[in-house]
């Protein structure tokens, strides 16, 4: 089966091919004989029921500095000429991102979009996770300094982060003395109109923040991400390091509960984050990462598993 695959992503020239999950998916697709096209969300167009993009035919290779080659650009009808769309641009999950999901939703009955655009729109990372409070650390969503102070008084140490942030950016720990909490909430309220997420600090983060990848609702693999020296953030994008890992009984329980719902929503490639083997903090559906590190540490071909699932759905 040869598929036409349109990859909606950030500019390919700027990615780090050593660990980029989208690049790994493109390499795997190409190896299977699928035809690849690259475009950015800004290239989307709509008229008279059609959604199309100015797209570049692309071939990829794992060569630093020479990792892609474009053909002549075409106007690609995403409803009639593409079999699969990989929606892989990074957040921020802003109105541009949301608009892209609305446009792609209009052709999702004809072209398989991974992940399903309506489900992505309705399941932002730090909001979707609120559906599973039984697995979460104590959590507050607020813009109120008074509420944040009361939460701090109850839990001793807290973490404050943007509700729609990504990649470990703008995550702050506040100690029991509350130093700078008022200034931090002031800055957050100035920068973002939405509420912010405040959580009890989990000392277990020093032992890692596990990324577990699920493919069509089933566990595909996991890595444990360790924070760098002097950091509480373990995201690889901000200096964390990855090590091999296995799932705890609690993590298996979390995956068993989440899996059927992810599958039902058409969220085929998902990465969840779990701290201390028991605390679910995020459900990443917009542009999950981690598959290259998982393959490095345990040899699991997660990209291949994703394409197996995609090919099954296209053929169904």
């Amino acid at each position: 089966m040869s598929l036409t695959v349109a990859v909606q992503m950030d500019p390919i020239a700027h990615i780090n091919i050593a660990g980029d999950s989208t690049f790994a998916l493109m390499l795997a697709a190409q190896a299977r004989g699928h035809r690849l096209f690259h475009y950015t969300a800004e290239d989307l167009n709509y008229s008279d029921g059609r959604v199309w993009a100015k797209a570049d035919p692309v071939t990829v290779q794992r060569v630093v500095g020479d990792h892609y080659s474009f053909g002549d650009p075409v106007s690609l009808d995403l409803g009639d000429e593409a079999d699969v769309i990989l929606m892989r641009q990074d957040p921020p999950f802003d109105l541009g991102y949301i608009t892209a999901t609305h446009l792609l939703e209009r052709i999702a009955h004809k072209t398989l979009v991974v992940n399903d655009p309506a489900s992505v729109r309705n399941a932002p990372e730090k909001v979707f996770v609120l559906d599973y409070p039984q697995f979460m650390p104590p959590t507050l969503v607020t813009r109120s300094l008074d509420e944040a102070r009361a939460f701090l008084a109850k839990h001793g140490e807290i973490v404050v982060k943007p509700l729609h942030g990504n990649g470990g950016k703008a995550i702050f720990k506040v100690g029991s003395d509350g130093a700078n909490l008022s200034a931090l909430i002031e800055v957050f309220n100035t920068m973002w109109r939405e509420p912010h997420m405040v959580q009890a600090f989990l000392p277990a983060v020093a032992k890692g923040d596990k990324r577990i990848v699920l493919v069509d609702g089933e566990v595909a693999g996991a890595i444990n991400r360790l924070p760098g020296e002097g950091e509480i953030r373990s995201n690889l994008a901000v200096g964390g390091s990855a090590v091999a890992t296995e799932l705890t009984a609690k993590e298996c329980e979390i995956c068993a509960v989440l899996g059927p719902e992810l599958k039902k929503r058409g969220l085929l490639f998902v990465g969840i984050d779990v701290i201390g083997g028991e605390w679910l903090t995020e459900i990443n559906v917009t542009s999950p990462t981690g598959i290259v590190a998982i393959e490095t540490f345990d040899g699991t071909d997660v990209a291949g598993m994703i394409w197996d699932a995609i090919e099954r759905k296209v053929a169904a």
Side-chain angles (χ1 to χ4, degrees), residues 19 21 24-25 35 65 90 101 107 110 136-137 149 151-152 154 170 193 215-217 234 239 262 270 277 296 301:
S21 292
L25 287 169
R35 187 182 182 198
D90 289 338
T101 68
I107 57 167
K110 296 195 291 186
M136 293 184 69
R149 280 176 170 157
F151 190 82
L152 173 63
K154 182 177 181 180
R193 295 186 62 187
V215 175
D216 206 20
S234 56
L262 300 177
V270 174
T296 298
D301 181 13

Side-chain angles (χ1 to χ4, degrees), residues 59-114:
T59 57
V60 290
Q61 57 183 356
R62 195 173 287 285
V63 178
V64 176
D66 186 27
H67 58 279
Y68 73 99
S69 177
F70 282 160
D72 293 331
V74 299
S75 180
L76 184 68
D77 188 312
L78 297 174
D80 291 335
E81 296 176 334
D83 299 300
V84 180
I85 298 169
L86 298 182
M87 188 168 61
R88 292 288 304 171
Q89 81 270 21
D90 289 338
F93 192 76
D94 56 12
L95 282 175
Y97 209 115
I98 290 170
T99 300
T101 68
H102 280 295
L103 293 177
L104 294 181
E105 185 181 4
R106 281 160 168 73
I107 57 167
H109 64 290
K110 296 195 291 186
T111 302
L112 177 64
V113 184
V114 179

Side-chain angles (χ1 to χ4, degrees), residues 20-245:
D20 190 271
S21 292
T22 304
F23 189 73
L25 287 169
M26 294 172 76
L27 283 171
Q30 183 175 272
R32 292 176 178 228
H34 302 326
R35 187 182 182 198
L36 295 171
F37 290 84
H38 168 280
Y39 71 94
T40 68
E42 289 79 7
D43 295 318
L44 284 171
N45 306 278
Y46 169 88
S47 180
D48 298 327
R50 293 177 58 245
V51 177
W52 74 96
K54 182 181 178 182
D56 297 296
V58 62
T59 57
V60 290
Q61 57 183 356
R62 195 173 287 285
V63 178
V64 176
D66 186 27
H67 58 279
Y68 73 99
S69 177
F70 282 160
D72 293 331
V74 299
S75 180
L76 184 68
D77 188 312
L78 297 174
D80 291 335
E81 296 176 334
D83 299 300
V84 180
I85 298 169
L86 298 182
M87 188 168 61
R88 292 288 304 171
Q89 81 270 21
D90 289 338
F93 192 76
D94 56 12
L95 282 175
Y97 209 115
I98 290 170
T99 300
T101 68
H102 280 295
L103 293 177
L104 294 181
E105 185 181 4
R106 281 160 168 73
I107 57 167
H109 64 290
K110 296 195 291 186
T111 302
L112 177 64
V113 184
V114 179
N115 286 317
D116 178 83
S119 292
V120 167
R121 186 173 65 246
N122 292 330
E125 272 75 327
K126 296 180 184 69
V127 178
F128 184 21
V129 71
L130 301 178
D131 287 357
Y132 302 95
Q134 70 271 35
F135 300 131
M136 293 184 69
T139 298
L140 169 70
V141 178
T142 189
R143 288 176 62 86
S144 167
L145 174 58
D146 288 342
E147 296 294 343
R149 280 176 170 157
F151 190 82
L152 173 63
K154 182 177 181 180
H155 296 288
E157 294 181 305
I158 60 173
V159 171
V160 183
K161 51 190 173 181
L163 196 62
H164 297 299
N166 72 297
K169 301 182 185 73
I171 298 177
F172 295 88
K173 178 186 175 186
V174 178
S176 57
D177 61 0
N180 294 324
L181 178 59
S182 61
L184 185 59
I185 295 297
E186 179 182 338
V187 169
F188 270 46
N189 284 349
T190 300
M191 292 188 64
W192 294 288
R193 295 186 62 187
E194 65 268 18
H196 325 300
M197 178 167 274
V198 185
Q199 291 184 317
F201 175 67
L202 302 174
V205 74
K207 297 181 180 179
D209 177 359
K210 198 170 295 185
R211 164 58 57 89
I212 306 170
V213 170
L214 294 97
V215 175
D216 206 20
E218 301 292 332
V219 174
I223 53 168
N224 193 32
R225 301 170 299 178
L226 298 172
E229 185 69 26
E231 271 282 2
I232 64 166
R233 303 175 299 172
S234 56
N235 306 71
L236 302 184
V238 294
S241 59
V243 296
T245 191

Side-chain angles (χ1 to χ4, degrees), residues 283-297:
I283 303 173
N284 298 274
V285 304
T286 50
S287 184
T289 61
I291 65 176
V292 176
I294 290 172
E295 182 172 4
T296 298
F297 284 104

